[in-house]
Amino acid sequence: MTQKEYGKRISQMAPPSPILKDCSFAYVIGGLICVLGQILWNYYGSLGLEKTDASTAASMTLVALSALFTGLSLYDNLAKYAGAGTLVPITGFANAVSAAAVEFKTEGYILGVGAKMFTIAGPVIVYGTTASVIYGLLYWIWMLMG
């Protein structure tokens, strides 16, 4: 059996993907995570925090909740239904880093938790920092010209 024949056979045997249902769940759950972020932002603002401080506090709370739910194996259960909806940037990133820490904790804190967390976080931090430096330089040049 060739690889092409095998692929055709698999596509015939596999059940059809419920794309509309999956997209709907992703949209609703992702939206609810964003609504929670907005509720937290409003709450922290009502406590007297400035907009930027309320945004930081809301983001920190979402990261903490995501890490907590990952540690309790609740985030994975949510992701089974929500799919890409749980990849809302800040919660998805916190889940990825926390999941690596939980999965490799038996290998120790240095070579397990620390190494695996930064395997996930390292590229994001490097590219995020690089992008912000480039953006800052372009903005600085733009302001010099204007």
Side-chain angles (χ1 to χ4, degrees):
M1 179 178 286
T2 67
Q3 193 172 19
K4 191 173 187 179
E5 291 171 336
Y6 180 75
K8 185 177 179 183
R9 182 128 191 218
I10 291 296
S11 65
Q12 289 172 346
M13 302 293 274
S17 177
I19 265 185
L20 184 60
K21 182 183 105 176
D22 291 347
C23 288
S24 298
F25 278 148
Y27 180 79
V28 169
I29 299 300
L32 289 173
I33 292 171
C34 292
V35 166
L36 175 61
Q38 184 66 48
I39 289 169
L40 290 167
W41 184 75
N42 291 344
Y43 172 72
Y44 290 126
S46 73
L47 295 178
L49 293 177
E50 298 292 324
K51 287 182 179 184
T52 54
D53 294 336
S55 296
T56 302
S59 296
M60 289 170 50
T61 303
L62 286 173
V63 166
L65 288 173
S66 177
L68 175 67
F69 289 168
T70 298
L72 297 173
S73 297
L74 298 174
Y75 203 91
D76 290 340
N77 294 335
L78 179 64
K80 286 178 188 173
Y81 296 103
T86 58
L87 296 179
V88 174
I90 197 159
T91 57
F93 181 68
N95 170 257
V97 172
S98 301
V102 169
E103 185 176 347
F104 292 98
K105 70 180 177 184
T106 57
E107 295 181 26
Y109 288 111
I110 307 268
L111 297 175
V113 175
K116 297 304 179 183
M117 276 181 19
F118 287 104
T119 299
I120 301 291
V124 175
I125 293 168
V126 168
Y127 285 108
T129 302
T130 303
S132 65
V133 167
I134 291 169
Y135 174 78
L137 287 172
L138 291 174
Y139 181 75
W140 179 68
I141 292 168
W142 179 267
M143 295 307 287
L144 285 177
M145 295 170 56

